[in-house]
């Protein structure tokens, strides 16, 4: 319960403005009441409205035992004001818990406008509690059609004609229910939906008609804009194309291409455009370039190239040089692999507290592609750093390596024994199950030995008689926080254990006098 109070206080301080708007008794209640409820589920709200009518409304958010919240979870009802795809004129952030002063039931008075509101729970781990509220205009309120206008943009000549193309931008506004859509018709064609400025590039006179409809169904009168598009005068092209070439293939350590090399030539011309590309390999006659040139002959090569544009301009000759060498013999030999352990040993040669196993591999032909290891018969894992072993007992680590030709070495093994670094500790209870449990829930997290010599399960004490479920959940939260700081648990494992504690029935009255 202490942990829940801390969470409640911290979250309330983070949203003072939104929370201050809740339960304002001095405001008159709206005739429209919209109710959200939450329970033990942190994936979705227990109930939520789907539609509403624009105008004043009373928002009710309840997360209590009456709505199914039996574990004391804290939820929020938060309206999203940061997403431009949704209405952002209502800032609402209600924090509710069965243990708050209102017993988990809160109200707020708001004014809704037509459109869609997105709502969600802002509590960490609860963000999948989300939905949409569709608000329509009140019947008969809006009888005024939208206001519309259009502008034409582009490069003009001296006569005011648009050179090459023109862009028509249509805008609409509606101060009441809001604009539902805009339509346009170009040169008498059928009306179509307007989403972006209309680009018109065909030469001649044009007329674009447009209209808009609001969310109440009112459609504006048709307006139109007229303009003329003329063809641009093509500039005289006196610039030759730009050219370049790249060589690709498998290289050896000296930068030579193994077995073959492929030369790709590209050309561009911003004015009249490229008419064609030619190339000459090793001084031979020029020929048309239509696809990348594959060169397989072993030796030194030079490929010259040039391009001509549609105005007849030919680029200067450029060339690229490269060497092709024969492929080396196929690699059929797997890598050499070895492993060594490090750490503090006792007189018996056992490692005290922990040990690290370092695996190395080498391959003189194609090179090492990867190293893998398996600890205690588990599936092989990718090796990237020394493997730390800190659990007391005998351990066997298998290791192998694969080269870039696909050859895998025969698995080898290294065995060692870890003994405790500290004398036995008087733990609260004995619980050496292999994974961490909270009541009957198996979290799947390894039941590791902690820094004081006790296992994680022994510190959690789920067999102990607890005052209530909340006390057990708070205790587990404190334990995993400490073990997270000590490096016994990672962030994911700590979260799994906390979640399992909340979902368990430890401390529930139905578990009997023993608290189970």
């Amino acid at each position: 319960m202490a942990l829940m109070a801390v969470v409640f206080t911290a979250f309330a301080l983070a949203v003072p403005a939104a929370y201050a708007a809740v339960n304002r008794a001095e405001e008159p209640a709206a005739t429209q009441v919209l109710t959200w409820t939450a329970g033990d589920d942190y994936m979705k709200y227990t109930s939520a409205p789907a539609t509403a009518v624009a105008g004043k409304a009373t928002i009710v958010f309840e997360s209590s035992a009456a709505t199914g919240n039996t574990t004391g979870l804290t939820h929020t009802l938060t309206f999203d004001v940061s997403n431009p795809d949704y209405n952002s004129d209502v800032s609402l952030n209600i924090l509710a818990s069965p243990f708050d002063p209102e017993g988990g039931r809160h109200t707020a008075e708001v004014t809704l406008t037509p459109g869609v509101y997105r709502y969600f729970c802002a509590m960490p781990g609860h963000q999948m509690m989300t939905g949409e509220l569709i608000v329509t205009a009140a019947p008969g309120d809006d009888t005024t059609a939208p206001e519309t206008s259009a502008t034409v943009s582009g490069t003009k000549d001296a006569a005011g004609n648009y050179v090459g193309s023109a862009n028509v931008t249509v805008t609409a506004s509606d101060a009441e229910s809001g604009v539902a859509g805009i339509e346009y018709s170009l040169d008498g064609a059928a009306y179509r939906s307007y989403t972006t400025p209309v680009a018109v590039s065909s030469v001649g006179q044009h007329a674009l008609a447009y209209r808009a409809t609001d969310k109440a169904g009112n459609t504006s009168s048709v307006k139109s804009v007229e303009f003329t598009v003329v063809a641009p005068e093509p500039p005289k092209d006196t610039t030759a194309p730009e050219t370049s070439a790249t060589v690709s293939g498998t290289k050896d350590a000296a930068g030579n291409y193994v077995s073959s090399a492929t030369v790709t030539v590209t050309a561009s011309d911003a004015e009249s455009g490229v008419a064609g590309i030619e190339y000459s390999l090793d001084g031979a006659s020029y020929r048309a370039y239509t696809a990348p040139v594959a060169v397989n002959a072993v030796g030194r090569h030079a490929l010259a190239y040039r391009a001509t544009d549609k105005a007849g301009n030919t680029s200067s000759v450029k060339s690229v040089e490269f060497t092709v060498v024969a492929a080396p013999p196929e690699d059929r030999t797997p890598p050499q692999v070895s492993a060594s352990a490090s750490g503090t040993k006792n007189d018996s040669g056992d490692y005290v507290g922990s040990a690290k196993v370092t695996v190395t591999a080498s391959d003189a032909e194609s090179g090492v592609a990867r190293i893998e290891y398996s600890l205690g018969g588990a599936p092989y894992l990718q090796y990237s750093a020394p493997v730390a072993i800190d659990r007391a007992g005998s351990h066997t680590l298998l290791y192998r390596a694969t080269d870039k030709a696909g050859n895998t070495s025969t698995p080898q093994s290294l065995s060692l024994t870890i003994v405790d670094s500290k004398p036995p500790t008087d733990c609260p209870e004995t619980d050496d199950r292999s994974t961490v449990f909270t009541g009957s829930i198996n979290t799947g997290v390894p039941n590791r030995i902690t820094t004081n010599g006790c296992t994680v399960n022994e510190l959690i004490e789920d067999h102990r008689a607890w005052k209530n479920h909340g006390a057990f959940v708070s205790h587990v939260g404190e334990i995993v926080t400490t073990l997270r700081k000590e490096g016994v648990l990672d962030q994911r494992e700590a979260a799994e254990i906390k979640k399992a504690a909340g979902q368990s029935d430890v401390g529930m009255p139905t578990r009997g006098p023993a608290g189970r």
Side-chain angles (χ1 to χ4, degrees), residues 128-213:
M128 286 178 284
M129 297 174 64
T130 185
E132 294 181 354
L133 176 67
I134 301 174
V135 179
T136 57
D141 285 356
D142 182 4
T143 60
T144 304
E147 295 290 332
T148 60
S149 63
T151 58
V152 185
S153 61
T155 302
K156 290 185 177 181
D157 62 14
N161 301 315
Y162 290 89
V163 179
S165 66
N167 289 319
V168 184
T169 301
V170 183
T171 59
S173 62
D174 190 276
E176 297 182 60
S177 62
V179 176
I182 304 173
E183 298 175 299
Y184 75 93
S185 166
L186 180 61
D187 298 331
Y191 275 90
R192 59 193 302 178
S193 177
Y194 173 90
T195 56
T196 59
V198 181
V200 182
S201 58
S202 59
V203 173
Q205 292 184 333
H206 301 280
L208 186 141
Y210 56 94
R211 64 192 181 192
T213 303

Side-chain angles (χ1 to χ4, degrees), residues 6 13 35 49-50 60 72 78-79 108 126 150 210 261 306 386 410 416 458 463 477:
V6 172
L13 290 174
T35 302
V60 177
T78 305
F79 274 33
H126 297 198
Y210 56 94
R306 64 192 180 192
T410 301
L416 52 85
E458 291 168 352
H463 291 73

